[in-house]
């Protein structure tokens, strides 16, 4: 089945540690996105990429980094500089830059202890 | 910049009641509009979308939404809700040249059997 796979589903880390969340898609979509979901705040865009080897900051990029070396992969690193990293992280993709419908993964829940 | 405002944070209805969830957006150009739904324990999925043409769009499970350009609104409606409609609903806007979607804070709908 085509879709988006995020891993791990649950992750715990200690303060001061970086952690990388994986996102893989087999939909052959050009664009990929990372959102953060917090209760009562909806989804906020962290980073997005419309093409391989290119990405743009979203609304809350501070403390995060990404790479897009392959079309199907868009990993997100939550660095120690992110002041409030405990959250639910959602990866999404869309077919192209101007096709709006997003397809989402099941999410990764990060808890910082 | 584009933004979305959802008027209701939590709505509680009895089965068979009618539903209308408010959504207003802000963007200075042409937009695509979406409603996404997140059922308990499931990933976000598209409920319906508006790109152009008939401003009244129909989605899955009997939902519909009306785009009123003069009011910058895209309200979601359903004539008769079911217990299975219990979920969180997100309105999203994507400026056609923006390359990214912006989400509202979400509305949690609880339907009592």
């Amino acid at each position: 089945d085509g879709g988006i796979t995020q891993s791990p589903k649950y992750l715990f880390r200690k303060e001061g540690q970086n952690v990388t969340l994986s996102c893989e898609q087999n939909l052959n979509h050009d664009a990929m996105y990372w959102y953060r979901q917090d209760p009562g705040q909806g989804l906020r865009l962290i980073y997005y990429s419309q093409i391989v080897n290119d990405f743009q900051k979203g609304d809350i990029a501070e403390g995060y980094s990404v790479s897009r070396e392959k079309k199907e992969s868009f990993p997100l690193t939550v660095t120690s500089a992110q002041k409030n990293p405990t959250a639910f992280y959602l990866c999404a993709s869309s077919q192209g830059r101007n096709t709006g419908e997003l397809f989402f993964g099941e999410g990764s829940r990060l808890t910082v202890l | 910049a584009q933004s979305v405002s959802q008027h209701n944070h939590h709505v509680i209805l009895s089965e068979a009641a009618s539903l209308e969830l408010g959504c207003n957006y802000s963007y200075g150009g042409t937009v695509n509009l979406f409603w996404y739904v997140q059922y308990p324990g499931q990933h976000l999925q598209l409920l319906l979308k508006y790109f152009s043409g008939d401003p009244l769009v129909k989605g899955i499970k009997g939902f519909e939404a009306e785009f009123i350009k003069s009011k910058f609104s895209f309200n979601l409606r359903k004539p008769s809700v079911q217990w299975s409609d219990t979920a969180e609903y997100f309105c999203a806007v994507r400026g056609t040249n923006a390359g990214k979607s912006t989400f509202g804070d979400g509305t949690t709908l609880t339907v009592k059997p």
Side-chain angles (χ1 to χ4, degrees):
Chain A
D1 287 339
I4 298 177
T5 302
Q6 290 186 240
S7 62
K9 194 170 183 179
Y10 298 96
L11 185 61
F12 297 86
R13 78 150 208 225
K14 295 181 180 179
E15 280 191 17
Q17 293 179 334
N18 292 354
V19 61
T20 297
L21 307 179
S22 170
C23 178
E24 302 277 332
Q25 55 103 354
N26 61 4
L27 300 168
N28 199 33
H29 285 173
D30 290 321
M32 297 186 73
Y33 311 80
W34 275 104
Y35 286 89
R36 170 179 170 144
Q37 185 177 13
D38 296 285
Q41 297 191 53
L43 279 69
R44 292 180 290 167
L45 184 63
I46 304 172
Y47 268 98
Y48 62 109
S49 167
Q50 294 166 347
I51 195 169
V52 175
N53 292 322
D54 189 35
F55 49 83
Q56 289 79 38
K57 292 182 179 180
D59 301 318
I60 55 166
E62 185 176 351
Y64 299 97
S65 66
V66 293
S67 64
R68 186 88 187 276
E69 296 176 1
K70 298 185 295 183
K71 185 175 184 177
E72 60 270 25
S73 179
F74 191 42
L76 173 73
T77 297
V78 185
T79 75
S80 57
Q82 168 50 232
K83 295 180 181 178
N84 187 21
T86 294
F88 189 57
Y89 292 89
L90 285 166
C91 180
S93 70
S94 65
Q95 190 168 14
R97 181 183 188 276
N98 293 321
T99 53
E101 178 181 351
L102 295 175
F103 293 80
F104 286 88
E106 292 190 343
S108 294
R109 186 168 298 280
L110 171 63
T111 302
V112 175
L113 305 173
Chain B
Q2 57 193 24
S3 65
V4 177
S5 175
Q6 291 184 238
H7 311 306
N8 317 97
H9 293 293
H10 196 176
V11 173
I12 302 173
L13 296 172
S14 297
E15 276 194 315
S18 64
L19 169 72
E20 181 160 5
L21 301 182
C23 173
N24 285 90
Y25 70 92
S26 174
Y27 185 71
T30 305
V31 295
N32 301 143
L33 294 159
F34 308 85
W35 277 96
Y36 290 88
V37 60
Q38 189 171 33
Y39 296 104
Q42 297 187 27
H43 60 88
L44 266 166
Q45 57 187 288
L46 183 72
L47 195 57
L48 49 78
K49 61 186 177 185
Y50 171 80
F51 278 18
S52 63
D54 189 344
L56 183 63
V57 293
K58 296 188 184 299
I60 61 173
K61 303 187 179 185
F63 286 91
E64 64 179 32
E66 184 175 13
F67 170 50
I68 303 179
K69 189 175 180 180
S70 61
K71 295 184 177 180
F72 298 92
S73 70
F74 190 57
N75 292 354
L76 180 70
R77 299 194 293 248
K78 186 172 184 179
S80 176
V81 295
Q82 300 174 314
W83 176 79
S84 58
D85 293 326
T86 294
E88 190 158 17
Y89 293 80
F90 294 93
C91 181
V93 62
R94 182 186 178 106
T96 52
N97 292 320
K100 58 180 181 177
S101 293
T102 298
F103 286 75
D105 290 345
T107 297
T108 301
L109 171 65
T110 301
V111 180
K112 296 181 177 180

